[in-house]
């Protein structure tokens, strides 16, 4: 799996050439590597944008505004789900729950969190990304890296940013506190 991320860090998605190299290195059939890469949605079979934006449209995020954000961003960028802007800068997909429901509605860009989003803040995110100057994630690193750079980190190459910034927010800590007090 790290090798699939590594391929994405080079090619921007999981190419057939990348699958063949992995299969050779690990002495597997290409079908076995393909089976893994097509099972997980984090592995892309076609190019995504330099900044890949995932908008949570699972139940809680949806009712808290995720559905409206998803529709607004698609219209704003004039693309469909899984689409990429003509300049290749931004792609958008709807994503499932990222276990960040206490920050709903949640948007992710290159797998970094943008919590408590609105239509306006999500538009600012994609507009900034298209301009090459995306706002910083609300948790984690102090700046948003590109999809290829994020893939390199997922492949195991430390960029030194992973331990930056807010790691856990107040809503999560409050939930933990209440749980320990037996109130939930
Ligand atoms: S429903 Fe969106 S993060 Fe859980």
């Amino acid at each position: 799996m790290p090798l699939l991320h590594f391929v994405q860090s080079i090619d921007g998605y999981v190419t057939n050439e990348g699958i063949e190299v992995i299969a050779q290195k690990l002495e597997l059939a290409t079908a076995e590597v393909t089976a893994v890469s097509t099972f997980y949605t984090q592995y892309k079979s076609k190019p995504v944008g330099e900044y890949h934006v995932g908008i949570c449209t699972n139940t809680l995020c949806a009712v808290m505004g995720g559905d409206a954000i998803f529709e607004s961003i698609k219209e704003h960028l004039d693309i469909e789900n899984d689409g990429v802007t003509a300049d290749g800068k931004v792609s958008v997909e709807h994503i499932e729950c990222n276990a960040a429901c206490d920050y709903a509605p949640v948007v992710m860009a290159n797998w970094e969190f943008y919590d408590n989003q609105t239509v306006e803040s999500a538009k600012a995110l994609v507009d900034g990304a298209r301009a090459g100057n995306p706002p910083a994630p609300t948790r984690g690193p102090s700046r948003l890296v590109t999809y290829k750079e994020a893939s390199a980190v997922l492949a195991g190459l430390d960029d030194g940013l992973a331990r930056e910034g807010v790691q856990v927010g107040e809503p999560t800590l409050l939930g933990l506190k209440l749980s320990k007090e037996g109130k939930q």
Side-chain angles (χ1 to χ4, degrees):
M1 293 175 76
L3 285 174
L4 287 166
H5 286 301
F6 186 69
V7 167
Q8 295 200 128
S9 77
I10 302 297
D11 294 334
Y13 67 106
V14 179
T15 56
N16 290 336
E17 294 77 12
I19 286 175
E20 285 173 14
V21 169
I22 292 172
Q24 282 177 5
K25 292 283 182 196
L26 301 183
E27 299 181 1
L28 296 169
T30 54
E32 292 174 292
V33 180
T34 301
V36 174
S37 72
T38 54
F39 182 82
Y40 296 99
T41 56
Q42 286 86 353
Y43 300 124
K44 303 302 180 189
S45 59
K46 60 183 183 180
V48 296
E50 195 172 325
Y51 297 95
H52 183 62
V53 176
I55 299 166
C56 181
T57 54
N58 260 192
T59 308
L60 185 57
C61 282
V63 298
M64 295 291 284
D67 277 350
I69 292 172
F70 184 54
E71 293 305 321
S72 297
I73 294 302
K74 283 192 303 177
E75 186 178 335
H76 183 62
L77 297 176
D78 193 23
I79 56 177
E80 294 299 320
N81 184 36
D82 284 336
V84 186
T85 53
D87 58 10
K89 287 286 187 184
V90 177
S91 51
V92 172
E93 71 172 341
H94 94 90
I95 55 173
E96 304 297 333
C97 177
N98 273 271
C101 314
D102 36 1
Y103 305 93
V106 172
V107 172
M108 301 194 84
N110 296 344
W111 315 125
E112 299 295 350
F113 284 109
Y114 289 79
D115 301 325
N116 303 310
Q117 291 294 286
T118 63
V119 168
E120 290 71 28
S121 64
K123 282 181 179 175
L125 168 59
V126 297
D127 287 347
R130 288 191 87 175
N133 186 30
T138 54
R139 280 183 282 147
S142 59
R143 65 182 175 85
L144 180 65
V145 299
T146 67
Y147 190 81
K148 287 183 178 179
E149 290 169 333
S151 296
V153 174
L154 292 170
L157 303 175
D158 189 358
D159 65 359
L161 301 176
R163 287 169 292 283
E164 280 190 354
V166 178
Q167 300 294 310
V168 59
E170 286 303 317
T172 306
L173 292 173
L174 178 60
L176 177 64
K177 179 173 177 285
L178 293 173
S179 177
K180 283 182 174 175
E181 292 173 355
K183 293 180 179 174
Q184 283 188 340

